[in-house]
């Protein structure tokens, strides 16, 4: 399965990326509280994630890469890698960001707002000029095959060549991957999922989000 990393075709690839995003979202425990399937009458979750990807791509200096099978052109994962300027001012030629999509009724607004605020607190550590991994997903059927590592290495090589740090917000499923690639923990926020489950003690526990940084490395 020869994998290559290349830039996404915005016209052709977004629906496939959104489906990967949907599947990875549903395998994470917070989806049990963020998503209300009974309210998703038309199966609109894929469209929701496609709108989010469009929003991320509209951010200044954002690039979206895909991991694709060189022989079959099947997409296995993607990463959105954004260059954030030091002073927060973007070039005048940068496109205006697209407004974030309105939260649909099948998403739990309270849970989403709470977790979003925690991520924002972690993002506050990301000062100075840097690169930021704003989205990252690998198809669940192809995880643990080195595809995520290949995507991540493609991104951090760009930061290394620019001599800039790489930042991201990590969740439990991918935290060890980032540690193996020289990211270090800077801060974290804990979300007690048992509280969102009305303290029923059905196996939900602390779901931790980490702010992580990797300092640029010089290739020998």
């Amino acid at each position: 399965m020869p994998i290559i990393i290349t830039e996404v075709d915005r016209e052709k690839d977004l629906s496939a990326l959104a489906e990967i995003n949907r599947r990875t979202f549903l395998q994470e425990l917070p989806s049990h509280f963020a998503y209300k399937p009974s309210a998703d009458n038309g199966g609109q979750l894929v469209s929701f994630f496609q709108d989010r990807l469009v929003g991320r791509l509209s951010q200044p200096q954002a690039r979206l890469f895909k991991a694709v099978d060189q022989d079959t052109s099947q997409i296995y994962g993607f990463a959105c890698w954004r260059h954030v300027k030091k002073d927060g001012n973007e070039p005048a030629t940068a496109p205006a960001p697209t407004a974030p999509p309105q939260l649909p009724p099948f998403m739990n607004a309270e849970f989403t707002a709470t977790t979003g605020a925690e991520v924002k607190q972690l993002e506050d550590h990301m000062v100075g000029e840097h690169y930021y991994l704003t989205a990252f997903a690998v198809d669940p059927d192809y995880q643990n095959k080195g595809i995520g590592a290949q995507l991540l290495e493609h991104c951090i090589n760009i930061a290394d060549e620019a001599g800039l740090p790489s930042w991201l917000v990590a969740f439990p499923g991918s935290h060890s991957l980032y540690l193996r690639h020289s990211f270090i923990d800077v801060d974290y926020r804990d979300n007690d999922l048992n509280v969102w489950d009305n303290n029923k003690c059905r196996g939900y526990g602390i779901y931790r989000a980490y702010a992580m940084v990797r300092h640029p490395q010089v290739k020998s």
Side-chain angles (χ1 to χ4, degrees):
M1 188 172 67
I3 302 296
I4 59 172
I5 308 300
T6 186
E7 204 113 14
V8 161
D9 184 321
R10 301 190 187 199
E11 299 297 324
K12 297 179 180 178
D13 295 335
L14 282 182
S15 60
L17 303 184
E19 173 59 18
I20 292 172
N21 210 163
R22 182 193 71 85
R23 296 186 65 213
T24 55
F25 167 75
L26 291 177
Q27 75 175 1
E28 296 290 336
L29 288 177
S31 70
H32 298 183
F33 308 101
Y35 175 55
K36 299 181 287 186
S38 60
D40 187 7
N41 297 323
Q44 302 173 62
L45 191 58
V46 171
S47 296
F48 170 72
F49 281 115
Q50 184 163 327
D51 289 343
R52 285 183 52 153
L53 285 171
V54 169
R56 294 192 190 284
L57 275 172
S58 73
Q59 295 176 318
Q61 306 297 307
R63 301 175 68 187
L64 190 57
F65 300 104
K66 62 182 176 181
V68 60
D69 189 306
Q70 190 171 10
D71 295 331
T72 66
S73 298
Q74 181 176 345
I75 299 173
Y76 296 120
F78 66 89
C80 191
W81 195 230
R82 185 185 176 206
H83 181 196
V84 180
K85 297 296 185 177
K86 181 176 181 180
D87 57 5
N89 296 322
E90 304 299 342
T93 56
T98 302
Q102 183 178 0
L103 202 64
F106 53 77
M107 298 297 288
N108 183 330
E110 182 183 4
F111 183 88
T112 302
T114 299
T115 54
E118 292 169 349
V119 169
K120 179 61 175 66
Q121 291 169 8
L122 296 174
E123 289 176 335
D124 287 343
H125 291 283
M126 303 176 190
V127 296
E129 188 174 4
H130 61 275
Y131 278 88
Y132 178 28
L133 188 67
T134 63
F136 185 75
V138 174
D139 188 319
D141 289 341
Y142 296 93
Q143 292 176 2
N144 300 311
K145 297 180 182 295
I147 296 172
Q150 198 170 336
L151 269 169
L152 185 62
E153 288 162 9
H154 183 84
C155 292
I156 59 181
N157 284 341
I158 294 172
D160 283 351
E161 290 173 3
L164 294 174
S166 302
W167 281 91
L168 54 81
V169 174
F171 301 101
S174 55
H175 185 238
S176 61
L177 169 67
Y178 302 134
L179 289 173
R180 291 196 301 272
H181 285 81
S182 303
F183 283 84
I184 58 173
D185 297 337
V186 175
D187 196 2
Y188 64 87
R189 293 292 182 273
D190 285 340
N191 191 350
D192 188 349
L193 298 182
N194 187 49
V195 172
W196 292 98
D197 196 36
N198 297 315
N199 295 303
K200 294 178 181 178
C201 298
R202 298 190 297 177
Y204 295 109
I206 297 297
Y207 191 85
R208 178 168 290 183
Y210 306 80
M212 303 186 75
V213 66
R214 178 185 185 274
H215 298 292
Q217 299 182 10
V218 178
K219 306 296 183 184
S220 56

